[in-house]
Amino acid sequence: MSAAVTPRHARHTPGLLRSIYLPRTADALAFAMSTYGIPLLVLATTRSAALTGLAFALEWIPRLAAFGWAGSIVDRRGASVVFHLASLGRALVLAASAVLLRLHPSGTVASVTVMALAAITGVLTEFSYIAVETAGAAAGRRAGRRAHRVQAVLLGIDQTATLAGPTLAAVLLLAGLPPMLAAITVLSLLAALLALRTPPSPIAPARTPKGQTGVGLLTGWRTIRSLPALGWLVTGLTLSNLATGLLQAAGPVIVVKHFGQSTTDVGLVWSAAAGATLLSVTLCRFAIDRLGQWPVGAACAVIASLATLAAAQAPDYLSYLVLVAVLMAAEGGMTVVLRTLRSLVIPPEKFGSTLSATILILLLPFPVAGVLTALTPPDALGHVITACALLQGLGLALAFTRLRTDPALRT
């Protein structure tokens, strides 16, 4: 591949700490704080549960719609450029919102401000995520046989941010709106500045030829279809995400209505799951060193399927918490395999578009899980989770059976 068509994110070679890990940490914290903190901000400003739910939807709907654009622009402009501009834009929007809310702490202006903030930060965060993930994949390609170590560190950063971000946002909000917005603004500015520390390639075209980058999600879909290993793994994990999404969507009903616990105990389930995932990612990193990707991925698939099946029949809250934590830990191991495979087999000039398509496919089961939860009587949720667990096991078994001899996972 000539330098004339290789995208910028495929040619950067600085140290991982300053060029990948530190920017990813700042962006992941800003991502987690904004995703969970802005709905809290809406509730504190409007006192409306309906508007709070709408704000959460406004964060996610534009993100899903922006996937194709984000991947295509990252391919054409380079990951570091898009990451810098998206993070800087998010910081400016947050700062402007803080000023408006200072001048108009309540009323129509405040309501419009926080709702617009939810939508705009959702889109900008999606662009920064696709960009920094693309840069991380390029680092994984350069690491070669140690690509799984890079992806394990990146996944650990994401899980740590998911664990700490919501709590930090809630604590800062207790001190008032300005401290929380200021913290996310500072993190966004830090991410933008760290993105500048990745030096541009001395030979970088203004845009990659359209024939090489394609047009967003269509290019990503075609690339997935042309890579059997990636296609089977994405298929298996998509079916697995249906079971995981159902447990997430039905969690409050199961914990509060079925087990008679408090809403705080619902959050404890997912905090335990995040902690278990962090431990799993670390262990899988060393396990892949010794055993390889396929054995570790297949073992995690078996554990995830059995944990979901058992969670559907959990007799009490404690066993349910442990089983969900085991499930998410196994999901973390499979995610390391997916990220590693993705970084190694996707052509660099199409990585952003293919990454966008992959993430969109993996996220589609979550709204389906929400619909299933809404349509299912509480007493029947266990049966639906059992059916999804069986579907999850079948999908993962087919995927890893087909991948058993694939060189992409045997390397």
Side-chain angles (χ1 to χ4, degrees):
M1 184 181 298
S2 67
V5 296
T6 304
R8 300 176 186 184
H9 55 257
R11 297 197 296 271
H12 292 332
T13 56
L16 289 175
L17 180 62
R18 71 181 181 88
S19 65
I20 303 297
Y21 296 152
L22 288 179
R24 179 64 163 258
T25 300
D27 185 68
L29 277 172
F31 177 97
M33 289 182 68
S34 61
T35 297
Y36 294 96
I38 289 179
L40 293 175
L41 175 66
V42 173
L43 182 62
T45 303
T46 66
R47 305 294 181 184
S48 169
L51 288 178
T52 303
L54 180 59
F56 190 84
L58 283 175
E59 280 189 295
W60 279 103
I61 292 174
R63 288 183 187 181
L64 295 176
F67 269 114
W69 288 97
S72 180
I73 291 175
V74 167
D75 281 341
R76 296 170 67 181
R77 296 295 187 182
S80 60
V81 173
V82 175
F83 181 35
H84 169 72
L85 294 177
S87 299
L88 182 61
R90 182 173 58 203
L92 293 175
V93 169
L94 286 163
S97 300
V99 172
L100 285 174
L101 290 174
R102 179 74 175 178
L103 297 175
H104 304 278
S106 60
T108 303
V109 174
S111 299
V112 172
T113 298
V114 293
M115 299 302 286
L117 179 63
I120 296 172
T121 55
V123 172
L124 292 173
T125 297
E126 192 56 55
F127 274 83
S128 68
Y129 175 76
I130 294 294
V132 76
E133 184 75 5
T134 302
R141 281 192 298 274
R142 292 192 297 271
R145 293 176 64 87
R146 297 187 176 186
H148 63 278
R149 295 187 178 187
V150 176
Q151 299 306 320
V153 173
L154 294 177
L155 184 57
I157 290 172
D158 289 345
Q159 288 297 321
T160 302
T162 301
L163 194 62
T167 302
L168 184 59
V171 170
L172 289 172
L173 191 58
L174 292 176
L177 304 183
M180 190 190 76
L181 291 177
I184 305 176
T185 301
V186 169
L187 287 170
S188 298
L189 282 174
L190 180 61
L193 292 173
L194 289 171
L196 288 176
R197 298 181 66 180
T198 301
S201 173
I203 303 175
R207 70 175 62 231
T208 307
K210 291 185 179 180
Q212 297 294 326
T213 57
V215 284
L217 291 178
L218 182 59
T219 296
W221 170 245
R222 288 173 176 169
T223 305
I224 293 173
R225 291 184 60 187
S226 69
L227 300 169
L230 181 63
W232 278 107
L233 191 55
V234 168
T235 299
L237 287 176
T238 299
L239 292 174
S240 182
N241 279 352
L242 179 60
T244 304
L246 187 60
L247 284 173
Q248 289 183 4
V253 178
I254 294 172
V255 173
V256 177
K257 299 293 185 182
H258 184 65
F259 293 129
Q261 303 294 127
S262 68
T263 54
T264 304
D265 292 319
V266 180
L268 182 60
V269 170
W270 297 107
S271 295
T277 303
L278 274 173
L279 178 61
S280 168
V281 167
T282 302
L283 294 176
C284 285
R285 173 182 172 183
F286 296 106
I288 292 174
D289 279 340
R290 297 179 61 87
L291 304 174
Q293 291 189 76
W294 188 87
V296 174
C300 288
V302 172
I303 294 171
S305 301
L306 293 177
T308 308
L309 195 60
Q313 311 299 326
D316 52 45
Y317 170 75
L318 181 60
S319 60
Y320 177 81
L321 181 148
V322 171
L323 288 167
V324 170
V326 171
L327 165 63
M328 296 309 296
E331 287 272 354
M334 288 190 290
T335 303
V336 172
V337 175
L338 172 65
R339 285 174 180 250
T340 305
L341 178 69
R342 202 166 56 191
S343 67
L344 294 177
V345 303
I346 298 175
E349 69 275 9
K350 298 179 182 178
F351 190 88
S353 300
T354 309
L355 175 65
S356 295
T358 301
I359 296 174
L360 182 58
I361 293 170
L362 292 173
L363 287 179
L364 287 177
F366 287 93
V368 174
V371 173
L372 282 176
T373 302
L375 297 178
T376 304
D379 294 339
L381 280 173
H383 301 298
V384 177
I385 294 173
T386 299
C388 288
L390 295 174
L391 186 62
Q392 173 192 34
L394 177 62
L396 290 174
L398 287 173
F400 279 95
T401 299
R402 296 297 294 264
L403 291 171
R404 184 175 182 181
T405 57
D406 195 292
L409 285 187
R410 305 299 294 185
T411 329

